[in-house]
Amino acid sequence: MIEELRKIWDIFTPAERRRAVRMMVLIAIMALAETGGVLSIMPFLSVLAQPALIHTNRWFHLAYSGLGFHGTRSFIAALGLASIAMVLISSAYKTVTLHLMNRFIHLQRHSISSRLLARYLHQPYEFFLSHHSSTLSRNVLSEVDQLLFNLIQPLSQLIAQGAVVVAMLLVMFLYDWQIALGVIVVVGLLYATIYALVRRRLERIGRERQSSNGRRFQACGEVFSGIKDVKVTAAAKAYQDSFDRASRLYSRHLATSDTLSQSPLYMVEAVGYTGLIAIALALMAGTTNIGEVFPALGLYGFAAYRMLPSVQIMYRGFARLKFSSPALDAIHRDLQL
């Protein structure tokens, strides 16, 4: 993981590194906005479950009297509207941040492809005698796409969603550190076990994907550049078979990678739902006032709603990172020419 990050940082130009740092700042602010959105639901649910808190809780009473409210219903409605506004602001900021992140990633696609082509064109003629044109074309076009969309993009999502997960866990720790620790252990062990089982296979099929992709480019390049000889010697069937074998293997490995990256989501959804029910039962067992359970359950449910998709995206980022590392190795090596 550290080695892949170092290579990606090497690929970036100084200006791109500065933009990447600015993106990290935006992501940190996004995590804070997510935290505020989740926390905003607690006052609303607390007062909704126990309206007497308006007068017994110091902060609620200050807000109630300071803002000039004269009825419980209007105050509860105001808390609900404030929570909605906070969540909407958080979601809008998150949308803007993700757009800027996607823009940065897609412009990196252009930058890396252009710089790689320029690096090839500045090599001496002997370089092209020892490197097949299909391999160079594959690196400039297909492998750069593989690098950007299956490595750098998932890695950026991993960082962004990781910030959200940390923020949600911090909220849960502040409320009940024992339950938060249990969530970390259960979800962390689940994903770590799945990743440990599939990482070697992802690395192997990633190398085979790169090789089969090169054979696809080679078969197409050779058959079209020598079409006259192909027609004269009736060799079209041989080239077609060569392309079909490579293309089929390439497609199968992409499908396997997608399945291994996405399948844990359904298992974690079941575990998350089971855990939420278990937390509700544990909270009910520890109190005789059901009204105290409602706000806590709302907090955990909303935090899980925000956190579990982010954890899945983080796992997918790790899986794609392992699958696409051969593309990173090839492009990093050739940019050092």
Side-chain angles (χ1 to χ4, degrees), residues 105-291:
I105 290 168
H106 282 274
L107 288 176
Q108 286 301 115
R109 176 191 189 185
H110 156 71
S111 174
I112 295 175
S113 296
S114 180
R115 285 188 283 124
L116 188 60
L117 179 61
R119 195 59 57 94
Y120 286 151
L121 293 177
H122 283 83
Q123 300 306 306
Y125 180 71
E126 291 77 11
F127 173 84
F128 297 94
L129 297 178
S130 59
H131 292 78
H132 200 284
S133 60
S134 64
T135 301
L136 303 182
S137 298
R138 179 203 67 187
N139 289 346
V140 172
L141 300 174
S142 180
E143 291 302 284
V144 169
D145 284 354
Q146 180 71 23
L147 172 67
L148 265 296
F149 300 128
N150 288 289
L151 197 151
I152 294 180
Q153 187 178 54
L155 183 62
S156 65
Q157 292 174 341
L158 188 155
I159 295 171
Q161 302 303 327
V164 173
V165 170
V166 170
M168 295 302 101
L169 289 175
L170 181 60
V171 170
M172 296 173 70
F173 258 107
L174 292 175
Y175 192 83
D176 191 323
W177 69 269
Q178 293 176 319
I179 291 180
L181 188 61
V183 170
I184 293 175
V185 170
V186 172
V187 177
L189 282 178
L190 180 61
Y191 271 110
T193 302
I194 295 172
Y195 182 70
L197 293 173
V198 303
R199 62 185 296 271
R200 293 190 180 278
R201 186 177 184 187
L202 286 169
E203 189 173 10
R204 176 180 60 80
I205 66 175
R207 290 193 298 268
E208 292 178 359
R209 179 213 62 81
Q210 186 184 47
S211 175
S212 60
N213 194 31
R215 293 196 297 273
R216 288 195 315 149
F217 274 81
Q218 182 175 349
C220 284
E222 289 178 353
V223 75
F224 290 135
S225 61
I227 189 65
K228 183 184 295 184
D229 293 335
V230 171
K231 290 295 185 180
V232 170
T233 59
K237 181 66 165 57
Y239 281 104
Q240 179 72 55
D241 291 343
S242 176
F243 176 83
D244 286 348
R245 285 193 299 271
S247 180
R248 184 178 297 108
L249 183 62
Y250 176 79
S251 300
R252 284 174 52 195
H253 285 335
L254 288 179
T256 301
S257 172
D258 286 344
T259 300
L260 294 177
S261 299
Q262 297 169 8
S263 55
L265 174 63
Y266 309 111
M267 187 184 305
V268 172
E269 283 179 346
V271 172
Y273 180 75
T274 303
L276 193 61
I277 298 298
I279 290 173
L281 295 175
L283 291 172
M284 289 178 62
T287 181
T288 57
N289 187 356
I290 301 299

Side-chain angles (χ1 to χ4, degrees), residues 294-321:
F294 188 49
L297 193 60
L299 174 67
Y300 290 128
F302 195 29
Y305 169 74
R306 291 286 195 175
M307 186 176 67
L308 288 181
S310 297
V311 175
Q312 172 62 22
I313 292 173
M314 290 175 64
Y315 167 81
R316 191 183 307 165
F318 277 113
R320 288 186 174 180
L321 183 68

